[in-house]
Amino acid sequence: MTYKNPPTTPRQSATFDDYTLSEIRRAAATGIYDIRGAGAKRKVPHFDDLLFLGASISRYPLEGYREACGTNVVLGARHAKKPIELKIPITIAGMSFGSLSGPAKEALGRGATLAGTSTTTGDGGMTEEERGHSGILVYQYLPSRYGMNPRDLRRADAIEVVVGQGAKPGGGGMLLGQKISDRVAAMRTLPPGIDQRSACRHPDWTGPDDLEIKIQELREITDWEKPIYVKVGGARPYYDTALAVKSGADVVVLDGMQGGTAATQEVFIENVGLPTLACIRPAVQALQDLGMHRKVQLVISGGVRNGADVAKALALGADAVSIGTAALVAIGDNDPRWEEEYQALGTNAGAYDDWHEGRDPAGISTQDPELMKRVDPVAAGRRLANYLKVMTLEAQTIARACGKSHVHNLEPEDLCALSIEASAMAGVPLAGTDWIPGKSGL
Amino acid sequence: MPTFDLASVPLRDLNQALHAVEAGKNETTFEVVNPRGAHAVAVGIDAPVRVDVHGSVGYYCAGMNAEATVTVHGSVGPGVAENMMSGTVVVKGDASQYAGATGHGGLLVIEGNASSRCGISMKGIDIVVKGNIGHMSAFMAQAGNLVVLGDAGDALGDSLYEAKLFVRGAVKSLGADCVKKKMRPKHLALLADLLAKAGITDVKPEEFTRYGSARTLYNFNIDNVDAY
């Protein structure tokens, strides 16, 4: 009987895994970095790493379905004559017409309005689909100023000065030429078919002192009626929040690295910026140090998926959250019913992120007239409204279990963390202990 | 003719009055005195009015102007006529940075010099500068025309799209993808028209050099990466 040495099982390198190898081959073949949409896909500490403690003896819960738990939020009462009043603490994040189709923008407007909240424009300006179907519309004032129009500023309910995005703090965008239809090109004052670069910084101001004067100009133009939001990508949340407040912002929007984008370098999306969870407490600390917590509202975005995420963000000190990717899924993005077509594009439902190519089978991140027809704005809007209401119900359920009669009454004391990393980032104790890394116990 | 003395009247009163103008119902000529470097003077006008500002102003004078004619009898700070949509803005003195930034339309005339980033990201505005302009002017300029009777600083027209640049004097350096172009009859006619609109009669279009985009960066190609 001969003995054969048992073969060694092939071992994949943890460093050079399949994805990394494929990316090296792709870069070598094409000579360009990978550009894609959406936010960071790598695993980083997130809301899942926190748990609510709920009520037992030391806390007294409220009765679900019986006792009221408020969800309304007012944004922008610091300076504006007409603050924004929302029924729920969840808003729709800025996403551009051009990146998204007209029917998709209409669906977002319809869904947000049904749920009693706001939606937001994006690079490319304001469309009639969006204004016409959004009860409350926030107009983004972006570095590129594509489609910027003072008449649209006045038609908006609030103005969001975009300084950065969580997917790419410090970076601009690149909308590749194949997606630039005649309508998109006309709105952006560029020839159709060329790559459209979005600037990484505003062309006519530098630094917080200038931003303060810019905000003054925007207030003067809109007769001090509209709240002014300032949106920053999560990178230095304490200082960026403090300087936004110093500049006169009514609302600070802070977008973590899981926040989506239309099209940016994969290496940028995955390697620049802070996880959303790590952004919240420093921003809240900045507001508290300035005596502005709850006076200047904080809106958190970047990977918010359900009512638990909403409740956790609010418990850590946010006034509201904003959703982008999740809203797109709600209106039909990456839907399995288009699985065969996703596979034909070399991907699958759930992983499709080549939004810049304009071939989205769901008809959402495209300007193809035939694909766009797949979005029924009424039905898709209804789905978004359902989703927003479910998230709100979920947040209320958790808040009641913690004994809170309003979701804003949630607090860090209601939370614990499952990992040392999440404990340190969120500033809440490690589960089963009173230990917060970097701080003493109780 | 209403006169707003900004030494004693809040800026808000001025801008509110300008925004309240309805065609055929109000005064259409306004005068502003003692601006004393105030920011956001005469911003967001959306009516065919005339505003004369006597003195120098700070940031964003006549920002986002539509239809109005605003004349500053002095110098202006950064961002004059930023994002202008239409109308005319005339600066009798010098301008700081970002003059006419992201402007979509209308005419901006600067009778003195303009600092850096003049016409940055311009989107259809016409800008005529009688003096010199600073570095990085017309960066990422998409559409419209920039006319400079004097000299231009470094990196003129970097990453330019379809805006047309006409410079009479020297250009210190051109930015990425910006090249000298032939002046054709249609460009001479366009330039003659712009000079006339700016009230300039003693300069000939033939004295200018035209610059525009080489369009090599319009679609990304790794072989052009050295240009970035």
Side-chain angles (χ1 to χ4, degrees), chain A residues 30-33 81 141 143-151 153-154 174 176-178 187-191 193-199 201 203-206 209-211 213-224, chain B residues 11-13 15-16 19 39-40 43-46 59-60 62-67 78-79 82-83 85 97-98 101-102 104 117 120-121 123-124 136 139-140 142-143 159-162 177 217-223 228:
Chain A
T30 64
I32 185 172
Y33 37 58
K81 291 178 191 169
Y141 187 70
S144 70
R145 311 278 168 81
Y146 290 141
M148 171 58 213
N149 190 317
R151 290 181 183 174
L153 268 187
R154 296 188 190 96
M174 175 78 94
L176 295 185
Q178 57 262 44
M187 285 182 71
R188 302 188 183 209
T189 326
L190 284 167
I194 71 167
D195 300 342
Q196 298 197 351
R197 289 165 272 172
S198 295
R201 58 179 187 255
D204 58 355
W205 59 268
T206 52
D209 294 336
D210 285 4
L211 174 57
I213 302 169
K214 171 56 71 177
I215 288 175
Q216 180 197 1
E217 183 207 12
L218 293 169
R219 290 195 200 284
E220 282 295 323
I221 287 171
T222 55
D223 294 327
W224 291 74
Chain B
L11 174 73
R12 185 82 282 274
D13 289 6
N15 287 326
Q16 191 74 62
H19 297 170
H39 306 314
V43 295
I45 306 175
D46 191 14
Y59 280 64
Y60 306 127
M64 302 194 200
N65 182 56
E67 301 192 55
E82 70 90 11
N83 215 88
M85 303 300 289
Q97 306 175 88
Y98 331 128
T102 76
H104 284 71
R117 297 175 171 83
I120 188 169
S121 289
K123 294 169 166 58
M136 292 296 282
F139 173 69
M140 287 177 78
Q142 295 172 215
S159 301
L160 191 67
Y161 289 98
E162 291 297 297
D177 213 30
L217 303 182
Y218 274 19
N219 291 98
F220 187 86
N221 183 331
I222 192 65
D223 296 330
Y228 290 100

Side-chain angles (χ1 to χ4, degrees), chain A residues 121-409:
Chain A
T121 65
D123 233 338
M126 183 188 290
T127 62
E128 293 308 317
E129 291 97 320
E130 190 166 36
R131 177 63 278 186
H133 294 95
S134 298
I136 303 170
L137 180 59
V138 182
Y139 189 47
Q140 285 195 329
Y141 187 70
L142 288 134
S144 70
R145 311 278 168 81
Y146 290 141
M148 171 58 213
N149 190 317
R151 290 181 183 174
D152 290 336
L153 268 187
R154 296 188 190 96
R155 293 203 297 161
D157 300 290
I159 298 164
E160 183 171 295
V161 180
V162 179
V163 182
Q165 278 181 260
K168 48 183 179 184
M174 175 78 94
L175 196 55
L176 295 185
Q178 57 262 44
K179 201 169 170 182
I180 311 303
S181 68
D182 288 347
R183 182 183 178 193
V184 173
M187 285 182 71
R188 302 188 183 209
T189 326
L190 284 167
I194 71 167
D195 300 342
Q196 298 197 351
R197 289 165 272 172
S198 295
C200 68
R201 58 179 187 255
H202 285 262
D204 58 355
W205 59 268
T206 52
D209 294 336
D210 285 4
L211 174 57
E212 185 175 358
I213 302 169
K214 171 56 71 177
I215 288 175
Q216 180 197 1
E217 183 207 12
L218 293 169
R219 290 195 200 284
E220 282 295 323
I221 287 171
T222 55
D223 294 327
W224 291 74
E225 291 182 347
K226 325 281 184 191
I228 306 289
Y229 301 11
V230 173
K231 179 177 180 177
V232 295
R236 295 174 184 82
Y238 182 90
Y239 296 106
D240 288 338
T241 300
L243 290 170
V245 171
K246 182 262 178 197
S247 301
D250 295 304
V251 176
V252 177
V253 182
L254 183 53
D255 190 25
M257 73 179 287
Q258 296 101 315
T261 184
T264 289
Q265 303 93 331
E266 152 93 8
V267 71
F268 204 140
I269 295 172
E270 296 288 358
N271 294 284
V272 182
L274 287 182
T276 303
L277 186 64
C279 293
I280 305 175
R281 292 312 298 281
V284 172
Q285 189 66 52
L287 293 169
Q288 289 172 337
D289 288 352
L290 294 166
M292 299 302 281
H293 192 217
R294 306 299 187 198
K295 296 176 184 171
V296 171
Q297 285 74 43
L298 178 67
V299 179
I300 289 295
S301 56
V304 174
R305 305 153 298 178
N306 52 42
D309 291 353
V310 176
K312 289 170 184 175
L314 299 186
L316 292 175
D319 295 278
V321 303
S322 200
I323 60 169
T325 303
L328 297 185
V329 173
I331 65 171
D333 183 57
N334 270 292
D335 195 306
R337 66 180 164 152
W338 310 113
E339 180 62 37
E340 283 185 20
E341 293 183 47
Y342 284 122
Q343 291 195 11
L345 294 172
T347 181
N348 56 66
Y352 178 68
D353 56 19
D354 286 328
W355 298 346
H356 57 287
E357 293 181 346
R359 296 185 290 171
D360 182 358
I364 291 170
S365 59
T366 182
Q367 298 301 313
D368 183 313
E370 291 304 311
L371 293 173
M372 267 192 250
K373 291 177 185 171
R374 295 178 176 184
V375 178
D376 175 345
V378 177
R382 182 72 244 176
R383 286 200 302 273
L384 176 60
N386 287 344
Y387 171 59
L388 289 167
K389 289 176 180 176
V390 167
M391 292 175 89
T392 306
L393 277 171
E394 289 171 341
Q396 284 175 299
T397 298
I398 288 170
R400 286 193 184 98
C402 294
K404 314 296 186 184
S405 60
H406 195 289
V407 289
H408 283 153
N409 295 343

